Amino acid sequence: MNTIAAYVFRQALGPLLAILGALAAIAILTQGLNQLDIIITNRSAGLAFAWVTILALSQLISLILPMAVFIAVVYALNRMHRESEVAVLYGAGVSRQRIAGPIIQLATLAALVHLAINVVIQPAAFTERREVLFDLRTDIASSLIQEGSFTFPAEGLTLYARERGGSGELRDLLINDARPNPAITYTARAGAIVTIEGAPAIVMRDGQIQRQSEDGSVDVLDFDRYMLQMGRVFEEPELFFLKASDRTLFELFFPDRTAHYDQRNIDRFFAEAHARLSAPLLSVALAMVGLCGVLLGEFSRQGYGRRIAAAAVVALTVRLFSLAAGAAAVEEPDLNIVQYAIPLSVILITGMMLGGRSARRRRHSLGPSVLAGARP
């Protein structure tokens, strides 16, 4: 890579990294604010939530990387235009294709990183994320129960424990469960937080259940051992199923056809697999849309706002169409080919626009007038 190509490459690389870093920071901050109460009361749970958020960044980066490449390309080239760097390069005999070359190299590198995220990093990150969330269920439920005070681990559930013993044992429990109608009150000499089928529960020993009957009397039932489901302390639907986003590429193309969940979601798995393979092409496609939006057309001293706006509309349309194609392929597997056709068509069309012979002949025939903004 020569000096000019390296310079153009760096001008686009800096904004791209800045955009990805800013979005990642916003995602981490947003998740931290949502779980602020847990982070304050339980530092270890807060660190675990931060780790879960970082693990989820792979999916976020995969989603926004193509548009981030487009924005970075447009920003870098527009800045070079405003500071007359592109005009100087044209005057020095540098062709439009040589300026576009390092941009396409950056987009290709971004596409390879995107492919690695989709195929390798995201499945591994989501597997780790699922295991961490599984471990957090019991830990968070336990941390929300404070000895000597009334706490509310779930909606409609009030719990009091006089003290904590060894190994997380809760002593002298008083629980009011207002979720059923009428409400039920539990008292127990001891209890402990456990995980039953992925949800936290309280196993109580040596206690009583008190429920008010319709005639106003109170029914009392003694028990030696009783389990009370607390419900989900935080929501994570289908946590213990390998969803499409959790699976490796091999597992998406070759699901377990003996499993009921896999049988019902085979088309969804195929759509996810093709989306992972086709999405990286969008980085190259949208980068070339940005190149066309800034480099094509005559020199203008008043800026390129209209051309950039038109390119942004095209880029957003392409991105939305690709997402729509992936969603439609879940219902109609024959549309999976469209996920590849959209970015490849954009690459072909923009490549013809950037490398057309007529454009080169027109620039050479006009000569310096292109730089001056004069009309033939």
Side-chain angles (χ1 to χ4, degrees), residues 189-245:
R189 184 179 61 82
I193 303 293
V194 298
T195 300
I196 305 296
E197 297 181 353
I202 302 177
V203 176
M204 296 175 283
R205 300 192 310 273
D206 299 335
Q208 287 186 341
I209 301 175
Q210 301 178 23
R211 182 199 298 265
Q212 186 176 11
S213 61
E214 295 181 356
D215 59 4
S217 61
V218 177
D219 297 330
V220 179
L221 175 66
D222 295 330
F223 62 83
D224 294 327
R225 180 183 174 90
Y226 187 84
M227 183 186 70
L228 175 65
Q229 290 283 354
M230 295 173 60
R232 298 193 182 276
V233 178
F234 57 94
E235 292 297 328
E236 183 67 23
E238 298 185 1
L239 178 63
F240 304 103
F241 288 105
L242 279 176
K243 297 182 291 183
S245 59

Side-chain angles (χ1 to χ4, degrees), residues 43 81 104 129 220 261 315 324:
R43 182 173 300 178
H81 259 302
I104 296 176
R129 179 174 179 266
V220 179
Y261 180 81

Side-chain angles (χ1 to χ4, degrees), residues 58 90 109 149 221 224 277 288 342 359:
S58 59
Y90 283 158
L109 179 61
S149 62
L221 175 66
D224 294 327
L277 294 176
M288 296 186 70
I342 292 175

